[in-house]
Amino acid sequence: PTVFSVTMALGALALSKEKAIVSKLSAIEEMAGVDILCSDKTGTLTKNQLTLGDPILLADTDPQDCILAAALASRIEDRDAIDTAVITALKDPGAMKAWTLTKFTPFDPVTKRTEATLTDGTGQTLSVAKGAPQAILDLAKPAAEVAGKVQQTVSDLAAKGSRALGVARCTDGGNWSLLGILPMFDPPRDDSKATIDKANEKGVRVKMVTGDDTAIAVETARQLGLGTHIIPAADAFPKDMDPNQVPSDIVDAIERADGFARVFPEHKYAIVKALQSRGHLVAMTGDGVNDAPALKQADCGTAVSGATDAARGAAALILTAPGLSVINSAIDEARRIFGRITSYTIYRVALTMDIMFLVVLSSIFLGFQPLTAVMIVVMSLLDDVPIMAIAYDNTRVSEQPIRWEMPRLLGISAVLGF
């Protein structure tokens, strides 16, 4: 145990220089055997630098008026990528000062929208909302013709890899009015495709997990070189499904999928659990409070750069640099560490057999002492020198995920020991 701990501690030190902090030493051993990496999309595979396109107007006639309504339903202090993009796109930020915020409902993964209630100097009350187009449609309940146009617009934008943000407004407690759709594009990170290709070369399959719409996920996956077999989790998983008891047909679908779209927090946990039930070692990335259960369940939960304290607390590996490129370095280092531990195990078992046959059996059955007491002490000291060297060994990196194979280890050890 001491050698294992020291070897992994030295590995953790090496990983920290690669901008990956290990919070649980056992995760290093598991990272070496990871064969599936479930990666968040926004901010991990993409830059999380949203750019706002020209608004597609419905009940509104002024593009800036639609953006103002979305900006009033945002808070710049939250440093949310969507909120920042909306407020930045406002040509006259001073227009927001005419309104006083009285109530704000932050984004909820279930409702998928933010709402704000405001008043102006004349006492007029204004309610604004922005969020997923379907959530805004459910709120505003427009005519079937308008709803159809919105859905077509969202599909067209998604086919180009752009997200859509619905904006609605309600004045003095009246009916909600669907103002328009704001197109938003979040480009992939420059290093994401190369990182995914390298992970595939190491025998690690990357599956994208995102809350975005399926069409957006498919287009992003295409740009990154991932497979385009994306499952909409909200449709594939029954609402009353126990995440600890995922039906076998759904587990089969999860194994085949290249990624998952429209994912809720509870789906992430179910995805990890399902893959583990088939013998996979799973690494999962996340950054939010709602990712904590999946990060804790994963064999190597990884909190990405900018993650919340809850996500970091649940994760075994914490990345301090944005993107996924650090993951490849972590996998390489983990496999080196595992190689050192394997080398130590083979050496230790072989040495035990050596001493047992040479010293013990010869003394008991052959009736003579092959070694004097001084020789035994010197041999023990010399045996410990390679053990210390193994912790720093320049180990070859395995090309495939590696796990404990005790029959092989014992076989090699027995031959060397004999």
Side-chain angles (χ1 to χ4, degrees):
T2 305
V3 174
F4 280 28
S5 296
V6 170
T7 304
M8 288 194 283
L10 289 169
L13 179 63
L15 283 174
S16 68
K17 294 175 182 176
E18 299 282 348
K19 298 185 178 180
I21 299 170
V22 178
S23 62
K24 298 172 186 172
L25 282 180
S26 60
I28 295 176
E29 186 181 327
E30 288 161 347
M31 177 63 93
V34 162
D35 59 333
I36 291 180
L37 169 62
C38 295
S39 173
D40 190 25
K41 179 180 81 71
T42 306
T44 304
L45 296 175
T46 62
K47 294 181 178 179
N48 201 20
Q49 296 175 354
L50 292 173
T51 304
L52 204 67
D54 294 329
I56 300 164
L57 303 178
L58 296 168
D60 212 338
T61 55
D62 182 3
Q64 282 298 308
D65 185 50
C66 182
I67 295 174
L68 174 61
L72 291 172
S74 308
R75 288 197 304 195
I76 191 67
E77 59 268 25
D78 289 348
R79 297 184 180 180
D80 179 78
I82 294 177
D83 289 3
T84 302
V86 169
I87 295 172
T88 303
L90 197 60
K91 290 182 179 178
D92 180 19
M96 296 178 65
K97 296 179 181 177
W99 296 93
T100 303
L101 183 67
T102 58
K103 182 183 178 183
F104 185 82
T105 305
F107 180 82
D108 185 326
V110 177
T111 61
K112 290 189 176 291
R113 65 174 185 259
T114 62
E115 289 185 40
T117 303
L118 311 101
T119 56
D120 64 2
T122 64
Q124 181 184 10
T125 301
L126 178 72
S127 295
V128 286
K130 76 175 195 314
Q134 188 58 51
I136 301 301
L137 280 175
D138 294 341
L139 180 68
K141 296 182 176 60
E145 181 183 345
V146 175
K149 183 180 178 182
V150 169
Q151 291 169 349
Q152 183 60 47
T153 300
V154 171
S155 298
D156 293 342
L157 289 172
K160 301 174 185 176
S162 293
R163 299 167 69 177
L165 191 70
V167 184
R169 180 171 59 199
C170 169
T171 306
D172 289 328
N175 294 325
W176 285 92
S177 174
L178 182 58
L179 301 181
I181 301 295
L182 301 181
M184 310 186 88
F185 179 64
D186 182 14
R189 290 179 58 83
D190 299 331
D191 59 350
S192 288
K193 189 176 188 306
T195 299
I196 290 169
D197 290 342
K198 286 180 182 177
N200 290 335
E201 290 171 6
K202 298 182 198 313
V204 179
R205 186 181 176 193
V206 181
K207 294 177 183 282
M208 184 171 66
V209 180
T210 178
D212 287 345
D213 194 68
T214 308
I216 297 174
V218 168
E219 175 60 20
T220 304
R222 186 190 64 77
Q223 293 179 26
L224 292 173
L226 289 168
T228 55
H229 178 44
I230 306 295
I231 293 178
D235 297 339
F237 296 165
K239 290 184 179 179
D240 57 348
M241 183 186 74
D242 180 2
N244 292 302
Q245 300 292 333
V246 182
S248 59
D249 57 330
I250 296 179
V251 176
D252 291 339
I254 290 172
E255 269 198 304
R256 290 193 302 268
D258 297 313
F260 309 90
R262 295 168 61 191
V263 173
F264 288 102
E266 60 269 23
H267 295 149
K268 292 186 178 182
Y269 178 87
I271 289 167
V272 172
K273 195 80 173 175
L275 291 171
Q276 288 174 329
S277 70
R278 291 293 170 87
H280 296 287
L281 284 184
V282 184
M284 165 70 82
T285 69
D287 61 355
V289 174
N290 50 25
D291 294 332
L295 292 177
K296 198 167 186 66
Q297 177 61 35
D299 296 288
C300 188
T302 305
V304 296
S305 175
T308 61
D309 290 342
R312 292 184 179 195
L317 192 68
I318 302 167
L319 306 185
T320 57
L324 266 189
S325 57
V326 182
I327 286 279
N328 280 324
S329 301
I331 291 172
D332 284 348
E333 190 58 39
R335 291 182 183 178
R336 287 191 191 97
I337 293 164
F338 197 95
R340 291 172 190 142
I341 292 174
T342 303
S343 297
Y344 167 75
T345 305
I346 291 173
Y347 178 77
R348 183 76 266 179
V349 175
L351 206 61
T352 301
M353 291 180 176
D354 175 29
I355 294 173
M356 181 178 70
F357 280 103
L358 181 65
V359 180
V360 179
L361 295 184
S362 61
S363 301
I364 296 173
F365 295 106
L366 302 180
F368 72 92
Q369 295 287 345
L371 299 174
T372 65
V374 174
M375 289 179 183
I376 292 173
V377 172
V378 172
M379 186 173 71
S380 296
L381 288 173
L382 292 175
D383 287 343
D384 286 341
V385 173
I387 290 174
M388 290 186 288
I390 283 171
Y392 295 92
D393 190 19
N394 186 18
T395 311
R396 183 184 67 85
V397 179
S398 171
E399 295 179 359
Q400 294 296 322
I402 48 179
R403 304 187 189 186
W404 287 110
E405 298 177 21
M406 293 312 296
R408 176 178 171 273
L409 288 182
L410 293 174
I412 294 173
S413 299
V415 171
L416 293 176
F418 180 76

